[in-house]
Amino acid sequence: MAKILVVTSGKGGVGKTTTSAAIGTGLALRGHKTVIVDFDVGLRNLDLIMGCERRVVYDFVNVVNGEANLQQALIKDKRLENLFVLAASQTRDKDALTQEGVEKVLMDLKENFEYVVCDSPAGIEKGAHLAMYFADEAIIVTNPEVSSVRDSDRMLGLLASKSRRAERGEDPIKEHLLITRYHPERVSKGEMLGVEDVKDILSVDLVGVIPESEAVLKASNQGVPVILDDQSDAGQAYSDTIDRLLGKTLPLRFIEMPKQGFFARLFGGK
């Protein structure tokens, strides 16, 4: 059965769009027909990270308003046969999306895709509420910093109370925690929260930890989802995250400081 998966957080700049691109691409790599939908009306970054910005003719708002159909607006990924993108509009404001219009688009997508990944805007405004309202599962993205974790805690409250599932008294949205921009050395110095600290505060099952990595910025600038860079630590961490999302049990990687070799210790290397 098709699933609607929202990627959300309270705070901006934590890596939601990078994560949405990686999760959607990873699911497609595993053979699941997947579409990634950009809910960030007015800003629109998903198509840049996916490398399809020049191919956007019609967008999400055009489909909601009946100015184009889904077939016209869906952009097929050039790398993967079963991956598609529905871009947001850059020229409208966030009120361009309506609950009825979003519901119709998402239900139509569920008929044709196994996974509908919703890239939510930051905050708790209308776009973020609509992105999570119809979700079956949610990935809450947080950085290991107090302000980011606090904002994520607020989003968890909204997911539990303001979704369609909550309103209907159905099973709650299945929640997954993803920690991004993790830096073990800074954690050891007390400059960041550790994995266990974040888990204790939020009490949500951890699906992955993505290390701070230059590969993320490089991939974004190239219009390539970082999960396709399987030589990078971030790419491998996102790949592990997909496997856990699909039910596998894997140990966490990249959460410990690398051990120094004998000569590095001997000569005081770092």
Side-chain angles (χ1 to χ4, degrees), residues 3-270:
K3 285 183 182 175
I4 297 177
L5 175 68
V6 64
V7 177
T8 186
S9 76
K11 196 169 182 283
V14 299
K16 276 189 304 298
T17 302
T18 294
T19 296
S20 297
I23 296 294
T25 303
L27 289 168
L29 282 167
R30 303 297 190 279
H32 300 285
K33 191 176 182 186
T34 303
V35 59
I36 315 172
V37 183
D38 191 348
F39 274 78
D40 206 351
V41 175
L43 291 177
R44 197 176 98 184
N45 287 317
L46 177 65
D47 52 303
L48 287 169
I49 287 179
M50 294 298 293
C52 62
E53 69 277 7
R54 293 181 185 173
R55 296 164 59 206
V56 178
V57 178
Y58 294 107
D59 56 52
F60 193 4
V61 174
N62 292 138
V63 180
V64 167
N65 290 344
E67 297 156 356
N69 61 44
L70 268 175
Q71 289 306 114
Q72 290 175 291
L74 286 172
I75 301 168
K76 187 174 181 299
D77 187 79
K78 288 182 175 179
R79 296 163 291 238
L80 294 167
E81 189 73 25
N82 52 353
L83 180 62
F84 291 78
V85 171
L86 180 57
S89 171
Q90 275 186 311
T91 57
R92 314 286 181 101
D93 63 25
K94 287 181 168 45
D95 291 328
L97 296 178
T98 64
Q99 187 165 305
E100 298 75 19
V102 168
E103 179 176 17
K104 183 177 186 316
V105 172
L106 291 180
M107 295 310 120
D108 286 349
L109 288 171
K110 279 185 80 169
E111 289 183 11
N112 294 293
F113 291 91
E114 292 176 70
Y115 283 93
V116 181
V117 178
C118 302
D119 180 25
S120 171
I124 54 173
E125 306 176 350
K126 185 176 181 182
H129 177 255
L130 288 172
M132 72 171 204
Y133 184 75
F134 298 100
D136 301 305
E137 299 191 24
I139 294 178
I140 298 92
V141 183
T142 188
N143 292 159
E145 298 163 0
V146 172
S147 61
S148 181
V149 173
R150 184 188 63 193
D151 287 346
S152 294
D153 204 17
R154 189 175 184 192
M155 286 308 302
L156 288 167
L158 294 173
L159 286 164
S161 59
K162 294 275 193 179
S163 68
R164 186 168 70 168
R165 283 174 171 266
E167 289 177 1
R168 291 180 173 182
E170 297 174 354
D171 290 339
I173 293 171
K174 187 176 181 181
E175 298 162 343
H176 310 274
L177 174 64
L178 182 71
I179 302 173
T180 54
R181 305 193 71 173
Y182 195 78
H183 198 296
E185 188 174 348
R186 292 187 64 192
V187 172
S188 72
K189 292 177 180 176
E191 296 172 3
M192 277 185 172
L193 297 172
V195 170
E196 292 303 319
D197 299 325
V198 179
K199 283 171 64 179
D200 288 347
I201 295 167
L202 296 179
S203 300
V204 176
D205 289 339
L206 185 66
V207 75
V209 178
I210 313 300
E212 180 78 77
S213 174
E214 292 179 5
V216 173
L217 181 59
K218 180 182 173 187
S220 296
N221 288 337
Q222 292 176 340
V224 177
V226 71
I227 196 170
L228 293 175
D229 180 2
D230 57 8
Q231 300 302 305
S232 71
D233 48 3
Q236 292 171 36
Y238 271 119
S239 185
D240 288 353
T241 299
I242 294 295
D243 287 336
R244 292 190 200 97
L245 196 62
L246 295 174
K248 282 190 179 180
T249 302
L250 294 175
L252 291 168
R253 296 193 278 173
F254 314 113
I255 62 169
E256 306 286 348
M257 286 176 60
K259 289 186 170 61
Q260 289 184 339
F262 172 75
F263 288 106
R265 293 197 304 274
L266 188 64
F267 296 108
K270 292 184 179 179

